[in-house]
Amino acid sequence: MDNRLFQLLLEELAKKGVDTQQIHNNLTNIKKALYFLENRHYFTQSELIDFIAKRLREGKITVDDLEDLPSDYLEKVLKAYAKILNIDYVDLDSVDIDLKLASKVPLNNLKRYHILPLKESDINITVAVADPIDIEAQEMAQRLFPKKPVKFALASKQQIVNYLNKLELNENIKEYIQEIRRDLTEGAGGKEDVEESSAILRLIDAILKTAILSRASDIHIEPTENTCVVRARVDGILTEKFIFDKDIYPPLSSRLKLMSNLDIAERRKPQDGRFSHTVLGKEYDFRISTLPIVNGESIVMRILDKTKAMIPLEDAGMSKYNYDIFTKSLKTPYGIILVTGPTGSGKSTTLYGALNMLRSVEKKIITVEDPVEYQINLVQQCQVNPKIGFTFASALRSILRQDPDIVMIGEIRDEETLRIAIQAALTGHLVLSTLHTNDAISAINRMIDMGIEPYLVSGAIIAIEAQRLVRKICPHCKIETELDPAVYEEIKEYLPQNYRFFKGKGCKHCDFSGYSGREMISEVFKVDDEISRMIAKEESKEKIYRAALQKGFKSMLVDGINKAIEGSTTIDEVLRVTRL
């Protein structure tokens, strides 16, 4: 691991006489390293925090070396560092920032030195700084505010960057709209020139930035009778981001279509495309879909962030119990493993996580997807194209002639695809795919209903995982709560003797929703010899369910209730997605 902090920790361990070679070889990131050192009792958490803070003060590491620290460590380290320097530490999300103060000075200087003015008093001006021993940053802050002394406070670099980006957006949006409108009213050489104007490109850039800073998964641009509304889907819920006047919509939609190689003259039928764009120094792919509606075209952009898709399976939020069963199933040399759940339940992320775990030079892995959302090294990926007859079924037939070890099918939609997948599984291939069912055991009936003989299903299936995404409680406004008596009656049989439930009160960090981020709840149904015989005999779903429970199967509802008791989510969220 190429990290100065990690190297310093290894040196400190070596002084204690610890053999550091094995630690160095097995740890891939600083987060794992810190938890490992703490769990093995090489250091206590407070010793690690003091160690990091002192190395910062000595200049042996910089704030940039803290980027990959776990959030619980970062705040404590910064507080300890501020204490050593005898300055205040500020959590920017919990203070009231005077944004007018920042708007009085050039934004470029603030961004270059990672400084953010917070408030002005009669005596001084408080400025948040990411690196308090950076003399250049201190001098720049004093030059920007020459009339009063500057008092420095330490803040997280990422928080400063986020707020400066928000400031930039607020300033620029008004300017872009005025410029687009000026181009429209003056003619600017015709409508094509407006679509090509830099103002419309900057407006698109601002919309994409805003959505990405909000952790959005999709952007919706919808024309109404008088306006154009831009909404973003954050944690599965749509929130309004901008409202423009209707005259901004035509050049905005035309430019997005041009970027996605769509026909800008075609407004009567739906179109699909994609484009890449660099936002905040990072490349994102955007999958775009247009749909003709009464007032124009509804445009939806799916934000494809490779880092989110390539989440390691252990970090995807699966409980340890289910994770162990699922990963053990992945080690089986042949058979089918299905991931089930409704649209938007994170199935693709789980499949990509599984492929990430399985990929190696020794194995040939081929996927067939619609469309290919994320490209993975050492995996051959192909995209279906029904227009030329290249369907899931025909692609799968061709793939099996390519001598694969592992095949991933984006989705099983019909009997033909399912039958070929089962034949592939029975002839020595590991097949991963998704199916739309409400729970894991229902997938058995779905396959039989699709026309597959029960004995084939029983012989091919290794495991079925079902999942949903629940919103996580915002950590900033989390409070303990009591259950509604009606809800308690429904779930009391699943509750342990001692339990507590939590909810988010609602604060500015979570837009007063009480939730921030999402995590998975799941169930993993393992098919062993006894259950395989029950499937072949066409036993009822209830009998199979009872047999699975005796073997330790935990339903998604139980998994969700456990997550709620741990304080990750609320019972309301669990019941909302499991449809009890």
Side-chain angles (χ1 to χ4, degrees):
M1 191 200 316
D2 185 23
N3 183 293
R4 280 191 289 179
L5 173 56
F6 185 57
Q7 299 308 323
L8 289 169
L9 284 166
L10 287 179
E11 286 169 22
E12 193 69 15
L13 281 173
K15 286 178 194 172
K16 293 184 174 188
V18 177
D19 178 11
T20 58
Q21 191 57 51
Q22 193 181 0
I23 297 171
H24 187 275
N25 293 341
N26 289 331
L27 297 176
T28 52
N29 61 52
I30 194 67
K31 180 178 177 180
K32 277 188 178 177
L34 290 172
Y35 289 155
F36 175 86
L37 295 172
E38 202 179 320
N39 291 339
R40 298 293 189 284
H41 306 295
Y42 289 121
F43 296 100
T44 64
Q45 189 181 87
S46 60
E47 283 172 343
L48 285 167
I49 286 160
D50 286 345
F51 178 84
I52 300 168
K54 282 171 184 167
R55 297 302 91 82
L56 278 168
R57 181 66 186 96
E58 292 162 7
K60 290 183 178 175
I61 57 172
T62 68
V63 287
D64 290 330
D65 293 310
L66 308 183
E67 272 182 12
D68 297 324
L69 280 190
S71 54
D72 55 332
Y73 265 84
L74 181 61
E75 189 172 347
K76 288 171 184 172
V77 166
L78 292 176
K79 282 180 178 174
Y81 184 32
K83 196 173 180 181
I84 292 171
L85 295 171
N86 201 24
I87 61 173
D88 291 335
Y89 163 77
V90 284
D91 174 6
L92 296 185
D93 290 334
S94 60
V95 295
D96 192 15
I97 299 169
D98 182 359
L99 295 176
K100 286 178 187 170
L101 199 59
S103 64
K104 291 176 184 174
V105 293
L107 196 60
N108 285 346
N109 288 335
L110 299 180
K111 290 182 83 168
R112 185 179 170 191
Y113 293 100
H114 297 109
I115 53 179
L116 177 68
L118 299 180
K119 60 182 179 183
E120 182 176 10
S121 70
D122 295 338
I123 307 162
N124 56 30
I125 289 173
T126 305
V127 173
V129 61
D131 187 354
I133 57 174
D134 181 348
I135 302 301
E136 276 188 56
Q138 292 187 20
E139 286 174 354
M140 174 51 70
Q142 195 60 73
R143 278 204 301 276
L144 292 173
F145 300 101
K147 293 179 182 176
K148 284 184 182 175
V150 172
K151 178 189 171 190
F152 291 99
L154 175 63
S156 148
K157 183 178 176 180
Q158 191 55 54
Q159 282 189 335
I160 291 175
V161 168
N162 287 348
Y163 273 91
L164 290 174
N165 284 329
K166 284 179 188 174
L167 266 174
E168 188 179 26
L169 289 172
N170 288 343
E171 280 183 20
N172 292 346
I173 290 288
K174 294 173 193 165
E175 201 181 300
Y176 304 155
I177 298 292
Q178 285 167 359
E179 205 174 318
I180 295 164
R181 198 163 278 135
R182 197 159 53 242
D183 288 346
L184 284 164
T185 51
E186 290 172 6
K191 187 181 158 193
E192 289 78 13
D193 283 4
V194 178
E195 285 155 14
E196 291 297 326
S197 81
S198 59
I200 200 76
L201 287 170
R202 294 202 302 273
L203 178 64
I204 289 168
D205 197 49
I207 290 169
L208 301 181
K209 265 188 193 175
T210 306
I212 284 162
L213 286 169
S214 308
R215 300 175 295 101
S217 58
D218 302 84
I219 303 165
H220 294 240
I221 299 172
E222 301 149 338
T224 65
E225 199 172 338
N226 303 308
T227 61
C228 166
V229 179
V230 178
R231 298 191 290 169
R233 189 177 292 283
V234 180
D235 297 337
I237 308 294
L238 280 170
T239 55
E240 198 168 87
K241 294 295 175 188
F242 303 107
I243 298 183
F244 306 131
D245 287 337
K246 185 71 180 282
D247 59 348
I248 301 301
Y249 173 76
L252 177 62
S253 65
S254 295
R255 183 66 221 176
L256 284 169
K257 282 183 172 183
L258 278 172
M259 289 166 74
S260 314
N261 291 320
L262 302 181
D263 182 354
I264 61 169
E266 181 56 78
R267 296 187 181 89
R268 298 164 304 161
K269 62 182 183 184
Q271 296 185 74
D272 294 297
R274 66 190 295 154
F275 65 93
S276 293
H277 194 75
T278 303
V279 183
L280 302 169
K282 187 172 160 190
E283 177 123 353
Y284 290 85
D285 282 341
F286 296 87
R287 202 172 78 209
I288 188 165
S289 163
T290 70
L291 179 74
I293 57 173
V294 175
N295 296 302
E297 288 173 290
S298 167
I299 298 171
V300 176
M301 289 181 278
R302 166 66 58 90
I303 302 169
L304 304 174
D305 178 359
K306 194 172 278 190
T307 57
K308 284 184 184 170
M310 300 314 292
I311 294 170
L313 210 49
E314 63 267 27
D315 296 341
M318 208 181 275
S319 60
K320 187 181 184 310
Y321 178 81
N322 285 332
Y323 173 78
D324 290 343
I325 300 171
F326 190 64
T327 50
K328 196 174 174 185
S329 303
L330 287 172
K331 288 169 186 164
T332 312
Y334 56 87
I336 291 186
I337 296 173
L338 288 176
V339 176
T340 75
T343 305
S345 59
K347 298 190 297 295
S348 296
T349 304
T350 301
L351 277 183
Y352 279 123
L355 288 179
N356 213 18
M357 178 182 272
L358 293 167
R359 68 186 172 136
S360 70
V361 180
E362 294 87 34
K363 288 174 184 160
K364 172 92 167 181
I365 302 177
I366 308 182
T367 75
V368 52
E369 304 170 57
D370 181 21
V372 172
E373 291 193 0
Y374 303 98
Q375 289 173 19
I376 314 171
N377 288 338
L378 297 174
V379 177
Q380 318 306 313
Q381 295 168 272
C382 58
Q383 184 164 314
V384 297
N385 187 349
K387 288 178 186 171
I388 57 166
F390 191 56
T391 61
F392 276 114
S394 63
L396 198 46
R397 279 196 196 92
S398 304
I399 282 170
L400 295 176
R401 291 195 285 273
Q402 290 270 312
D403 184 32
D405 298 292
I406 299 165
V407 177
M408 191 270 266
I409 308 163
E411 188 184 335
I412 291 175
R413 295 176 180 169
D414 52 49
E415 186 198 341
E416 189 183 8
T417 310
L418 179 56
R419 193 169 286 280
I420 302 166
I422 284 177
Q423 295 298 345
L426 293 171
T427 53
H429 303 87
L430 180 63
V431 180
L432 309 178
S433 189
T434 68
L435 200 65
H436 286 281
T437 60
N438 285 335
D439 56 65
I441 297 172
S442 295
I444 302 289
N445 289 349
R446 174 65 55 86
M447 287 185 281
I448 293 168
D449 290 345
M450 284 169 82
I452 305 298
E453 294 79 1
Y455 71 89
L456 288 176
V457 174
S458 70
I461 296 289
I462 304 165
I464 304 165
E465 188 254 5
Q467 65 183 66
R468 300 283 189 282
L469 292 178
V470 289
R471 290 183 290 167
K472 292 199 288 187
I473 299 170
C474 170
H476 298 281
C477 58
K478 184 173 170 181
I479 55 168
E480 202 170 325
T481 184
E482 285 296 318
L483 281 187
D484 181 301
V487 173
Y488 172 76
E489 284 301 317
E490 277 186 279
I491 66 166
K492 65 181 181 184
E493 62 184 289
Y494 305 109
L495 297 177
Q497 206 163 19
N498 297 311
Y499 62 86
R500 293 193 302 166
F501 290 110
F502 302 86
K503 69 170 187 178
K505 195 166 57 174
C507 64
K508 66 177 182 178
H509 304 281
C510 56
D511 279 341
F512 298 92
S513 66
Y515 297 101
S516 176
R518 286 194 293 177
E519 128 167 343
M520 177 202 302
I521 61 169
S522 60
E523 60 187 31
V524 182
F525 173 56
K526 183 90 174 72
V527 178
D528 62 9
D529 290 343
E530 186 191 335
I531 285 175
S532 182
R533 283 194 294 273
M534 292 177 80
I535 294 167
K537 287 181 188 172
E538 295 188 64
E539 298 278 18
S540 68
K541 179 184 167 182
E542 288 71 27
K543 273 191 178 177
I544 294 173
Y545 179 65
R546 283 198 296 274
L549 285 177
Q550 286 169 3
K551 293 170 186 292
F553 172 75
K554 288 183 183 173
S555 73
M556 209 180 325
L557 176 63
V558 170
D559 191 46
I561 290 169
N562 290 339
K563 288 260 171 88
I565 291 169
E566 287 166 14
S568 301
T569 187
T570 63
I571 278 292
D572 292 342
E573 269 296 287
V574 173
L575 297 182
R576 177 178 73 83
V577 301
T578 53
R579 292 197 294 179
L580 186 68

